[in-house]
Amino acid sequence: MKFTSLYLFLILLASNACGTESNSSTAAETNAQDNTPTLMDAVNAAVEKGTQTKTVRPDTLDYKLKTPQDAIDWMKKSGHWDKYKQGIIPGIASQSLTYAEKLLRNSYPYFVIADKGSMHVILYDKYGIEQKAYKMACSRNYGHKHKFRDNRTPEGFFYAQGIYDSTDWKYTNDDGYTSPAKGVYGPRFIRIAPMVGIHGTNSPNSPGLRVSHGCIRLHNTNILDLVKYAQKGMPIIVNPGPKDDAVNKQEDCHIVMLNLGKIKETIISTAEAEAIVKRQNGEQEKTSTDSTEKKVPADEDPKLELKEPADGHEPDSADTPEHPAPGNPEE
């Protein structure tokens, strides 16, 4: 009798032990499943009984690309190839793997290309599908910006540094004169580099022309529309046109020129590029040696004077827009 009771006790003890282990295992699995979305950073997972877990790549690139084909392969495996193949990123990958990699790492819903060749600011969704295009104005001089007051728009890959209400900003020119007029920057200013941004204008006839000191101008209605999609940190590419590219090559400056299929400028010869460089250098030298009178180059409409900050990579107090705090750009 005692043996039978002991036998039954041992069976019951073993049964309870197995039950505890099973419950603990189930709880652990449940917790792991509950934590999976966070641990995987919203990566979609497909699990089939009797097989290994299969995952779809995250929505942004998480490793280094080595070839343009790597970029294409990732887009095809991303789960969004149907979108990517409609956009420009596959084409960009064949022209600049660096640009493509940055765009595939973009976590924002949109990115922007300010295209000097077509004179448009183009809004793309994150897959590279064009959403909107706005006519723009940019610098009167060609080529990538090298120094302060060279009247050029910087080119390359940037990120939006901030978005500001510029409604009441005033413009101070190179000689320290502050225009009493407000609104020269329009209602909004998207900073892309020190003293350089995409903004509105009180010169509505300037978009489509190369007339600024360096900033990119849009019609006020267009900048108000663009900022609905723009966010601090989103990618912004300033793409040189054929003439800018020719000047850059003449100056041994290596800036990627993307072919977006929108170029309207004609490609110029080396001799023409040399002539542009000499003219622009002559203007720069004349401006730097004349401190008593503001010079207006022949290709600029005098009516547009004092409408644009003298942009540069280094801030200068004489060229800082006057504006109330808070909301002023980082100098």
Side-chain angles (χ1 to χ4, degrees):
M1 185 69 179
K2 290 182 179 180
F3 177 78
T4 303
S5 299
L6 179 61
Y7 179 74
L8 292 173
F9 174 76
L10 291 174
I11 291 175
L12 180 62
L13 182 62
S15 174
N16 288 337
C18 290
T20 302
E21 181 180 350
S22 176
N23 290 338
S24 298
S25 176
T26 302
E29 290 174 2
T30 301
N31 289 336
Q33 291 172 357
D34 289 343
N35 289 334
T36 296
T38 300
L39 296 174
M40 296 296 291
D41 193 26
V43 176
N44 293 324
V47 181
E48 298 179 8
K49 188 176 182 179
T51 64
Q52 293 182 343
T53 299
K54 297 179 180 179
T55 61
V56 178
R57 289 189 183 279
D59 204 32
T60 55
L61 183 67
D62 59 351
Y63 62 92
K64 182 73 174 176
L65 298 175
K66 295 181 180 179
T67 67
Q69 188 59 46
D70 286 346
I72 300 297
D73 291 343
W74 183 87
M75 285 184 271
K76 288 182 176 179
K77 295 176 182 178
S78 70
H80 301 287
W81 176 240
D82 59 328
K83 295 180 181 178
Y84 279 120
K85 68 182 180 181
Q86 298 177 52
I88 64 170
I89 299 180
I92 288 177
S94 65
Q95 301 174 70
S96 172
L97 186 60
T98 299
Y99 279 19
E101 184 169 307
K102 289 180 178 180
L103 292 176
L104 292 175
R105 294 183 188 279
N106 173 32
S107 60
Y108 294 90
Y110 300 96
F111 66 89
V112 165
I113 297 182
D115 184 39
K116 291 182 177 182
S118 65
M119 294 298 287
H120 280 83
V121 168
I122 309 163
L123 176 71
Y124 297 90
D125 69 14
K126 70 173 298 176
Y127 304 105
I129 301 173
E130 182 177 331
Q131 304 295 303
K132 299 189 177 187
Y134 313 96
K135 185 182 291 186
M136 76 178 199
C138 66
S139 61
R140 59 179 175 257
N141 283 344
Y142 294 94
H144 174 59
K145 184 173 223 29
H146 295 295
K147 55 186 177 181
F148 190 66
R149 297 183 185 178
D150 64 1
N151 299 317
R152 300 189 187 191
T153 298
E155 300 162 352
F157 201 109
F158 303 89
Y159 296 91
Q161 297 181 2
I163 302 171
Y164 309 92
D165 184 340
S166 53
T167 304
D168 295 329
W169 290 5
K170 298 177 181 179
Y171 169 59
T172 300
N173 73 357
D174 297 346
D175 301 319
Y177 170 74
T178 299
S179 168
K182 296 181 180 180
V184 294
Y185 298 92
R188 295 293 184 274
F189 188 106
I190 304 172
R191 180 178 295 285
I192 62 173
M195 297 299 291
V196 180
I198 303 172
H199 60 78
T201 180
N202 64 347
S203 299
N205 295 326
S206 61
L209 304 175
R210 300 195 63 135
V211 291
S212 79
H213 289 81
C215 276
I216 296 166
R217 304 176 188 171
L218 301 181
H219 289 292
N220 289 343
T221 53
N222 288 341
I223 190 66
L224 287 173
D225 188 62
L226 179 59
V227 296
K228 294 176 184 177
Y229 309 95
Q231 293 178 263
K232 182 179 179 180
M234 71 180 290
I236 298 177
I237 298 172
V238 180
N239 191 42
K243 291 183 180 179
D244 300 287
D245 185 56
V247 168
N248 289 339
K249 290 176 179 177
Q250 183 66 28
E251 297 177 333
D252 198 25
C253 176
H254 304 285
I255 303 291
V256 173
M257 184 182 73
L258 299 173
N259 184 353
L260 305 176
K262 297 176 177 292
I263 295 175
K264 295 181 179 179
E265 285 185 352
T266 57
I267 297 176
I268 64 174
S269 66
T270 301
E272 290 173 309
E274 290 177 354
I276 290 176
V277 171
K278 288 180 180 179
R279 176 181 63 80
Q280 293 181 170
N281 289 341
E283 285 180 9
Q284 184 66 30
E285 182 178 354
K286 188 174 183 180
T287 301
S288 62
T289 56
D290 189 344
S291 60
T292 60
E293 183 180 357
K294 177 70 178 177
K295 299 296 183 182
V296 182
D299 60 351
E300 180 186 29
D301 184 348
K303 292 182 293 184
L304 299 176
E305 192 62 8
L306 307 183
K307 299 297 190 294
E308 190 77 29
D311 308 308
H313 292 293
E314 297 296 332
D316 186 295
S317 59
D319 296 276
T320 302
E322 179 183 318
H323 46 268
N328 49 314
E330 299 174 5
E331 300 298 342

